[in-house]
């Protein structure tokens, strides 16, 4: 689709034999529109296109006879480079290794906790799922039933102080030889000070080796606001994008990665326990560019 | 002489505000085009007028809220993509109806997700509404039939049907929803069915595709726009109003039972501009 979009511009350019600064302006505007229509944040789009302009000018596309190839390749490469940055592996440090999943309401955290626990089984790890949402109706039951259905280990508790609950889970893990804890936290608004403090307290007390922001790939312009605040509060280690089984382009991914400079580690494409896969930058970029 | 000279920077600033609100490129261009026409006509002569004119233009695109008849026995069908806020919104709606002296039944027709029954049971308790749990298996259309049938036989005023979240692009799940809808329409032809699509205000332009597909499946009457208590503006519903003529009737502004508002065009555009 990016090629169709530029074919008119490029055939005009081809006929002239070289690219003028005006042609480049038109092309960059088309790239801007494409990214905006993919739901990338407006300001992120401007930053990206401005820095892309510098890249392209440096490549002497003005004198190139195949400007469209250079420009499309530049967009593609720049995006792949962005998404490839950072450590996309999950690292298990500490005994037990603690992984926390955080994010806005309904983004898919609880479901993703189950998927990760199942995945870690394949890695040969003994994982304990810890219910850390004491607010949402039946959150405890949801994680418990998810665990039972998929033969995962669930930490049963009636401790209503969240910090004490996690301490109990750590103690239990040590006694029962679980090497990994996954904390399923409550969905919260990044502007909810009290709840963001709760997250900060969990981070300070337990220093999870992975703090994953679970982002809904349907998110539009707001993706920057929420991801940034979560990152500022607890210095996330990575992102998991959910609901990638829809037809959205997922521009939120670019907004998030560019604004917090943290890697996307996994994407989820469905509700079943196995619907989680490693994030591949080049595959994602082809989808984003349509 | 014009204070607002229609300088490029002015339009760019407006464009930025609209785009940041998830209004989308096409709709933003359409709105700015209308604004420029009115500037040309000499209608606008000051900066404040610009904002007021913009709000007017957006309000003209939005449709008036549409509501079910409070005093009529009826079915309210609730659908939408995963995690949009359906079950929570049903709790809020039920509470509102009960406060207005209606006898409300909640049909727990999400027979798929873990603890879906447990969750809606808690909301039913909070809203003083009866929760009907399907007795005969997991088929959603049968569950919906059972729920409404029970409701009618036991004198309920409103039967609110909760459905499982689904991607609008999943053919099997959309067919499942279509079947549920046609069963309700064919088995209860004389009971009005009010169809609500729940949309998450943090979503981007994909909501237009959601609205199109759900409208085809279950003849959506109106939108319940959730999570407006966050920083997202929910502007994508303006495009939905423009292209599908779908109104917004309810707004979710939090996770508590009281956090439901009737859609107000003025408040909505004020938050964008
Ligand atoms: N289609 C699809 N649905 C998903 C995906 N991940 C999660 N879901 C669904 O999204 C809905 C919300 O998932 P939850 O796991 O409850 O989300 P959550 O972030 O824990 O929600 P809160 O705890 O309320 O903040 C459920 O219906 C899930 O089955 C995905 O990748 N694709
Ligand atoms: N802040 C805020 N959160 C909301 C609002 N409405 C719902 N939520 C939260 O969003 C999350 C998902 O809500 P649900 O009611 O489970 O959504 P659902 O559409 O029924 O989800 P599925 O059935 O899994 O598709 C929960 O954590 C709710 O508390 C709202 O208006 N504001
Ligand atoms: Mg959860
Ligand atoms: Mg639900």
């Amino acid at each position: 689709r990016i090629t169709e979009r530029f074919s008119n511009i490029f055939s005009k350019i081809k006929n002239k034999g070289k690219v003028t600064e005006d042609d480049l302006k038109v092309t960059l505007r088309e790239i801007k529109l494409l990214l905006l229509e993919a739901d990338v944040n407006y300001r992120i789009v401007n930053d990206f296109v401005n820095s892309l302009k510098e890249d392209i000018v440096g490549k002497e596309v003005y004198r190139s006879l195949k400007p469209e190839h250079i420009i499309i390749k530049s967009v593609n490469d720049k995006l792949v480079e962005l998404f490839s940055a950072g450590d996309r592996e999950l690292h298990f440090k500490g005994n037990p290794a603690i992984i926390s999943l955080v994010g806005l309401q309904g983004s898919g955290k609880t479901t993703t906790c189950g998927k990760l626990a199942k995945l870690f089984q394949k890695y040969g790890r003994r994982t304990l799922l810890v219910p850390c949402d004491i607010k949402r109706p039946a959150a405890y039951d949801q994680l418990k039933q998810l665990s039972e259905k998929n033969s995962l280990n669930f930490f049963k508790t009636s401790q209503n102080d969240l910090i004490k609950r996690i301490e109990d889970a750590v103690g239990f893990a040590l006694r029962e030889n679980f090497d990994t804890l996954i904390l399923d936290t409550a969905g919260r608004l990044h502007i909810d000070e009290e709840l963001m403090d709760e997250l900060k307290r969990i981070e300070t007390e337990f220093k999870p080796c992975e703090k994953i922001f679970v982002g809904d790939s349907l998110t539009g312009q707001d993706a920057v606001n929420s991801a940034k605040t979560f990152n500022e509060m607890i210095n996330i280690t990575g992102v998991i994008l959910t609901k990638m089984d829809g037809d959205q382009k997922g521009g939120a991914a670019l907004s998030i990665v560019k604004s917090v400079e943290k890697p996307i580690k996994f994407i989820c494409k469905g509700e079943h326990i196995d619907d989680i896969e490693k994030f591949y930058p080049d595959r994602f970029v082809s989808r984003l560019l349509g | 002489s014009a204070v607002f000279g229609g300088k490029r920077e002015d339009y760019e600033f407006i464009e930025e505000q609209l785009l940041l609100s998830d209004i989308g490129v096409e709709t933003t261009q359409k709105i700015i085009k209308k604004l420029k026409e009115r500037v040309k006509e000499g209608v606008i002569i000051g900066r404040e007028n610009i904002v007021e004119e913009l709000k007017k233009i957006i309000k003209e695109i939005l449709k008036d809220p549409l509501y079910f008849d409070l005093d009529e026995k009826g079915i309210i069908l609730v659908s939408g993509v995963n995690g949009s806020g359906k079950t929570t919104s049903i709790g809020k709606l039920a509470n509102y109806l009960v406060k207005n002296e209606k006898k409300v039944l909640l049909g727990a027709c999400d027979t798929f997700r873990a603890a879906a029954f447990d969750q809606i049971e808690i909301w039913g308790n909070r809203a003083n509404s009866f929760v009907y749990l399907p007795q005969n298996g997991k088929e959603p259309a049968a569950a919906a039939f059972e729920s409404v049938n029970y409701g009618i036989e036991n004198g309920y005023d409103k039967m609110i049907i909760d459905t499982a979240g689904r991607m609008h692009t999943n053919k099997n799940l959309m067919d499942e929803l279509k079947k549920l809808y046609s069963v309700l329409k064919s088995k209860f032809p004389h009971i009005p069915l009010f169809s609500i699509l729940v949309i998450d205000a943090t979503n981007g332009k994909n909501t237009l595709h959601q609205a199109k597909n759900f409208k085809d499946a279950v003849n959506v009457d109106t939108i319940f726009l959730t999570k407006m208590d966050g920083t997202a503006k929910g502007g994508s519903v303006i495009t939905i109003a423009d292209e599908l003529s779908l109104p917004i009737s309810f707004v979710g502004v939090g996770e508590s039972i009281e956090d439901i508002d009737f859609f107000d065009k003025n408040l909505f555009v004020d938050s964008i501009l």
Side-chain angles (χ1 to χ4, degrees):
Chain A
R1 259 216 61 237
I2 186 174
T3 39
E4 291 165 26
R5 201 176 177 114
F6 296 127
S7 62
N8 293 337
I9 305 170
F10 291 143
S11 56
K12 265 197 256 132
I13 292 172
K14 254 207 191 119
N15 294 337
K16 286 190 284 178
K18 60 179 168 59
V19 185
T20 66
E21 176 132 12
D22 272 347
D23 294 323
L24 192 59
K25 210 190 251 174
V26 171
T27 308
L28 289 177
R29 175 162 171 79
E30 279 303 309
I31 293 170
K32 201 174 168 197
L33 289 176
L34 181 142
L35 292 175
L36 281 172
E37 286 172 15
D39 278 329
V40 182
N41 180 275
Y42 178 83
R43 291 181 182 141
I44 299 289
V45 170
N46 283 336
D47 292 346
F48 179 81
V49 172
N50 287 336
S51 98
L52 177 73
K53 182 170 169 206
E54 293 174 15
D55 294 352
I56 293 179
V57 167
K59 290 202 176 87
E60 301 192 327
V61 68
Y62 291 98
R63 297 189 238 126
S64 163
L65 293 176
K66 284 250 156 111
E68 67 269 35
H69 289 169
I70 298 222
I71 294 175
I72 292 175
K73 187 167 190 317
S74 301
V75 176
N76 191 80
D77 290 354
K78 194 168 179 67
L79 287 171
V80 171
E81 179 184 18
L82 249 160
F83 285 118
S84 304
D87 190 344
R88 304 209 317 277
E89 291 300 320
L90 270 184
H91 293 285
F92 302 92
K93 297 200 192 85
N95 186 34
I98 301 178
I99 303 192
S100 66
L101 267 65
V102 305
L104 294 178
Q105 290 90 346
S107 64
K109 297 174 292 301
T110 304
T111 311
T112 305
C113 283
K115 293 174 182 176
L116 285 175
K118 194 77 189 172
L119 191 65
F120 296 168
Q121 268 180 5
K122 299 197 184 116
Y123 297 168
R125 303 193 67 90
R126 261 175 64 78
T127 306
L128 186 65
L129 286 164
V130 186
C132 296
D133 181 349
I134 43 186
K135 150 168 79 78
R136 169 176 158 146
Y140 181 94
D141 300 304
Q142 185 185 3
L143 191 61
K144 184 166 184 284
Q145 288 177 22
L146 190 62
S147 305
E148 284 161 358
K149 178 164 182 238
N150 296 287
S151 315
L152 306 169
N153 303 300
F154 174 79
F155 180 65
K156 295 197 185 81
T157 174
S158 52
Q159 171 60 259
N160 281 328
D161 179 306
L162 193 53
I163 299 294
K164 291 204 181 98
R165 177 182 286 205
I166 302 172
E167 284 174 353
D168 290 349
V170 173
F172 182 82
L174 290 170
R175 291 194 302 278
E176 302 292 323
N177 291 315
F178 287 101
D179 54 26
T180 316
L181 284 188
I182 298 178
L183 309 183
D184 178 24
T185 70
R188 68 201 68 212
L189 293 179
H190 51 290
I191 52 173
D192 186 324
E193 289 193 19
E194 191 180 330
L195 285 183
M196 292 308 283
D197 277 345
E198 173 186 89
L199 224 47
K200 186 116 192 76
R201 259 179 290 127
I202 294 175
E203 206 263 334
T204 310
E205 282 294 323
F206 303 100
K207 303 199 173 12
C209 58
E210 292 281 352
K211 292 161 280 181
I212 308 280
F213 177 76
V214 177
D216 186 334
S217 62
L218 293 169
T219 310
Q221 300 292 306
D222 197 51
V224 170
N225 303 332
S226 45
K228 260 184 135 200
T229 310
F230 275 87
N231 188 44
E232 281 162 15
M233 266 305 201
I234 63 167
N235 194 19
I236 65 178
T237 57
V239 178
I240 293 181
L241 272 188
T242 62
K243 307 181 196 172
M244 286 292 291
D245 44 316
D247 57 354
Q248 68 279 15
K249 291 276 169 350
L254 178 57
S255 305
I256 293 171
V257 169
K258 197 150 188 333
S259 58
V260 303
E261 298 186 331
K262 296 288 162 73
I264 297 172
K265 305 210 177 194
F266 295 93
I267 62 168
C268 296
K269 282 186 172 168
E271 299 186 76
H272 292 283
I273 200 77
D274 297 314
D275 288 329
I276 181 165
E277 51 188 71
K278 278 180 124 313
F279 174 72
Y280 292 105
D282 45 6
R283 284 187 211 168
F284 187 83
V285 172
S286 329
R287 170 179 175 149
L288 181 65
L289 297 180
Chain B
S1 67
V3 173
F4 178 80
K7 293 196 225 71
R8 209 190 64 199
E9 309 84 63
D10 297 312
Y11 286 120
E12 280 180 2
F13 174 75
I14 290 167
E15 183 186 63
E16 178 176 18
Q17 283 309 110
L18 298 179
L19 289 172
L20 284 173
S21 307
D22 278 311
I23 292 181
V25 175
E26 256 189 66
T27 308
T28 295
Q29 288 173 344
K30 183 171 181 172
I31 292 170
I32 300 227
K33 184 160 176 278
K34 282 194 184 161
L35 186 67
K36 285 182 176 171
E37 286 166 12
R38 293 183 196 196
V39 169
K40 231 168 149 213
E41 292 164 15
V43 173
I44 307 166
I45 40 175
R47 278 240 157 71
E48 314 74 46
N49 300 44
I50 281 294
V51 176
E52 285 317 303
E53 201 59 33
L54 260 176
K55 291 183 182 180
K56 242 203 220 159
I57 293 170
I58 296 175
K59 280 189 270 185
E60 285 162 16
I61 299 174
L62 292 169
K63 305 298 171 235
D64 290 334
L66 181 69
Y67 297 102
F68 44 79
D69 187 329
L70 202 59
D71 299 323
E72 210 171 30
K73 190 188 288 297
I75 301 167
I76 299 173
L77 177 63
V78 178
S79 62
V81 303
N82 306 79
S84 55
K86 298 176 289 303
T87 307
T88 305
S89 301
I90 286 171
K92 296 172 181 176
L93 205 51
N95 188 54
Y96 165 75
L97 290 168
V98 168
K99 285 222 171 112
N100 278 278
E101 327 257 294
K102 301 302 163 203
K103 190 172 169 193
V104 178
L105 175 144
L106 307 184
C109 299
D110 177 353
T111 54
F112 166 76
R113 213 206 63 215
F117 282 10
D118 305 81
Q119 184 186 12
I120 195 168
E121 275 192 305
I122 292 171
W123 279 111
N125 276 321
R126 291 178 178 178
N128 293 310
S129 302
F130 177 77
V131 179
Y132 184 86
L133 301 178
Q135 306 294 308
N136 296 312
K138 309 192 121 255
E139 216 283 312
F145 170 79
E146 259 182 63
S147 308
V148 175
N149 199 41
Y150 183 94
I152 293 171
E153 288 184 350
N154 291 278
Y156 284 86
D157 299 312
K158 296 291 184 193
M159 279 91 28
I160 311 182
I161 304 299
D162 189 12
T163 61
R166 69 205 64 223
M167 273 301 154
H168 54 291
T169 48
N170 185 318
K171 179 162 191 321
N172 289 341
L173 292 182
M174 292 308 284
D175 283 347
E176 174 189 271
L177 193 60
K178 280 184 186 146
K179 181 173 175 218
L180 185 157
Y181 179 78
S182 67
V183 162
L184 290 183
K185 293 298 279 181
S186 61
K187 297 290 185 192
F188 309 104
H190 307 299
I191 310 272
L193 193 158
F194 191 77
S195 182
I196 297 180
L197 172 63
V198 177
I199 290 184
D200 185 331
T202 65
N203 281 189
K205 67 181 307 203
N206 187 259
T207 60
L208 179 64
H209 298 211
Q210 295 173 27
K212 281 195 178 131
N213 291 13
F214 277 94
K215 190 162 190 265
D216 286 341
V218 294
N219 200 19
V220 174
D221 291 301
T222 196
I223 290 167
F224 193 129
L225 185 62
T226 60
K227 307 179 197 174
M228 282 292 282
D229 47 315
T231 50
K233 305 291 182 183
S236 69
V237 297
I238 298 171
T239 306
I240 294 174
D242 197 30
E243 293 206 20
L244 302 176
S245 300
L246 269 181
I248 303 123
S249 300
F250 303 101
V251 182
V253 289
E255 301 187 74
S256 307
I257 206 163
E258 303 279 322
D259 293 330
I260 174 175
D261 289 341
F262 292 113
F263 181 71
D264 180 322
K265 282 191 195 178
N266 288 316
L267 288 179
F268 184 72
V269 296
D270 285 350
S271 93
I272 289 176
L273 297 163

